[in-house]
Amino acid sequence: MSPSLSYSSRGNPSHFNSQEESYHTLFGHQARTVSAPRRDVYYNPRLDPKNFLDGPLSSNPATRLRQMLARPGIVVAPGICDGISARCALEAGFSCLYQSGAATTASRLGQPDLAIATLNDFVQAAEMVCSLDPCTPVIADADTGFGGPAMVARTVKQYARAGVAALHIEDQVQTKRCGHLLGKQVVSREEFLTRVRAAVLARDSIPGGSDFVIIARTDSAQVLGMEEAVVRLKLAAEIGADVCFIEGVRTKELLESTVAALAPKPVLVNVISGGLTPSFTSKEAEEMGAKIIIFSLVSSVAMLHACRAAMKSLKKTGTDFSSARGMDPKQFFEVMGLNEVVEFDARAGGSAFQVI
């Protein structure tokens, strides 16, 4: 273990006072007594948010994301599903991207978000997305970590190697489903914390001192209630999670209470139109105290509508003229980075693209 961090067996006195601890401040009312064993408290001074307050934004995406989290303003990350959607998000000026598990499963496999995609599917998608603009942080869904502690560690290291800045790992059972579908099941609190601890230990074992961000996600709100969800995330934060994420926060008041209960840890909110969480705008989420907002299916649902319409039009009219809306091949490739490739070829002394 790196000498810059440690686990010590002590409780956090600001939240818990004994092994049979009462948690009384949750949501402004008397919460039920929860039993928790004495815990290990993670400490790594190198990753203290105050170390990321000053200076220019780093070219390292994980460091850059930590700077964005430490500084004012909400981080808005649109969900991308492939190279086209990533290019469109970058063209629109977004400074952070979100690789949605549901969108990745749909775009790569044509399958629903039911634990069908594998670690390799996710990593291969991430390698492509992260290569488009290596400085832009990509937050990637890691589902349940794809297995036990050793597999969680492998997931973290492969994501970091691919250029991902952050991942979120959740407490659903291995046969998981989209967080906005019904019938979810979650693992025990202890198993969830084992996943988070494995992710943190894996991050801290990366040579050179990685700034990779670990996001703890719980889906337990719809299964065990909001109180248990917040307790799980407080415990996850104590063992090293950098950001907290409750899936399916149903009201403005619950989001505000969650942010207050988990402070000072940053809170991520996931918005899917028609899902469990209201369609908060990024401005509204920021006013409620959220630090990251992701729009998981913004690109995939829009692409589905557009592709459906184009295919129906082609079937009906026998031409793609109307769906192209005047965009010729060169204009399409320009969005995909054509000009950058041509310029680079010329700078290297190439002549293949003098006329394009």
Side-chain angles (χ1 to χ4, degrees):
M1 186 178 293
S2 166
S4 65
L5 57 96
S6 67
Y7 282 101
S8 61
S9 296
R10 63 180 186 275
N12 185 335
S14 65
H15 302 310
F16 300 95
N17 295 309
S18 69
Q19 286 190 272
E20 197 62 32
E21 295 129 329
S22 295
Y23 184 62
H24 295 299
T25 59
L26 186 58
F27 305 140
H29 65 272
Q30 185 92 352
R32 71 179 185 272
T33 297
V34 295
S35 177
R38 193 160 302 278
R39 299 175 305 281
D40 298 331
V41 177
Y42 176 87
Y43 179 65
N44 189 341
R46 188 179 64 78
L47 299 179
D48 192 303
K50 66 176 178 289
N51 296 331
F52 300 90
L53 285 170
D54 302 316
L57 289 176
S58 173
S59 60
N60 179 288
T63 305
R64 179 178 288 230
L65 181 58
R66 286 189 179 273
Q67 291 172 319
M68 294 163 69
L69 292 174
R71 300 175 188 190
I74 191 169
V75 177
V76 181
I80 52 92
C81 58
D82 61 6
I84 295 175
S85 57
R87 285 288 191 183
C88 290
L90 292 170
E91 181 187 54
F94 285 100
S95 57
C96 185
L97 304 178
Y98 174 61
Q99 180 176 299
S100 159
T104 301
T105 303
S107 64
R108 292 185 68 83
L109 305 179
Q111 297 288 337
D113 187 15
L114 297 175
I116 297 171
T118 66
L119 170 60
N120 289 342
D121 293 319
F122 280 68
V123 170
Q124 288 165 10
E127 287 173 340
M128 178 273 296
V129 169
C130 294
S131 72
L132 300 179
D133 184 350
C135 296
T136 297
V138 174
I139 300 170
D141 190 345
D143 282 358
T144 62
F146 307 102
M151 196 63 182
V152 171
R154 182 168 179 255
T155 298
V156 169
K157 291 177 181 179
Q158 290 207 18
Y159 273 43
R161 194 176 299 120
V164 172
L167 64 69
H168 62 73
I169 189 165
E170 67 196 54
D171 58 357
Q172 283 198 56
V173 297
Q174 294 292 346
T175 50
K176 61 146 288 175
R177 63 195 64 196
C178 169
H180 290 254
L181 294 178
L182 302 180
K184 292 187 291 187
Q185 300 178 57
V186 296
V187 298
S188 68
R189 189 189 296 178
E190 292 72 22
E191 185 170 346
F192 172 52
L193 296 177
T194 296
R195 291 176 183 175
V196 175
R197 188 180 290 106
V200 172
L201 289 171
R203 187 266 314 282
D204 292 334
S205 72
I206 296 173
S210 174
D211 289 337
F212 192 82
V213 176
I214 305 296
I215 302 172
R217 163 179 157 172
T218 181
D219 286 68
S220 61
Q222 287 77 52
V223 183
L224 304 173
M226 285 295 291
E227 292 178 5
E228 174 63 17
V230 171
V231 169
R232 285 185 178 216
L233 289 185
K234 291 186 78 69
L235 294 173
E238 289 189 358
I239 60 173
D242 302 296
V243 178
C244 296
F245 172 8
I246 294 183
E247 183 66 291
V249 178
R250 290 179 177 271
T251 68
K252 172 181 181 291
E253 291 72 25
L254 283 176
L255 179 56
E256 290 174 333
S257 300
T258 298
V259 169
L262 295 171
K265 284 291 178 180
V267 169
L268 180 154
V269 61
N270 181 24
V271 172
I272 297 177
S273 181
L276 297 174
T277 300
S279 292
F280 300 130
T281 66
S282 53
K283 184 175 185 296
E284 289 170 339
E286 183 174 15
E287 290 171 349
M288 287 178 255
K291 189 60 185 175
I292 305 176
I293 184 168
I294 59 176
F295 296 89
S296 296
L297 295 182
V298 61
S299 62
S300 5
V301 170
M303 289 171 72
L304 187 148
H305 286 310
C307 193
R308 262 183 171 174
M311 293 299 177
K312 288 179 179 178
S313 174
L314 176 60
K315 180 71 173 175
K316 181 178 180 180
T317 67
T319 177
D320 68 345
F321 182 80
S322 61
S323 61
R325 289 192 262 177
M327 176 175 279
D328 62 32
K330 185 176 180 181
Q331 290 172 315
F332 172 76
F333 294 133
E334 283 173 347
V335 180
M336 299 304 112
L338 173 66
N339 294 336
E340 290 87 344
V341 174
V342 171
E343 180 186 352
F344 181 83
D345 183 79
R347 288 174 58 200
S351 58
F353 304 126
Q354 287 181 340
V355 178
I356 197 79

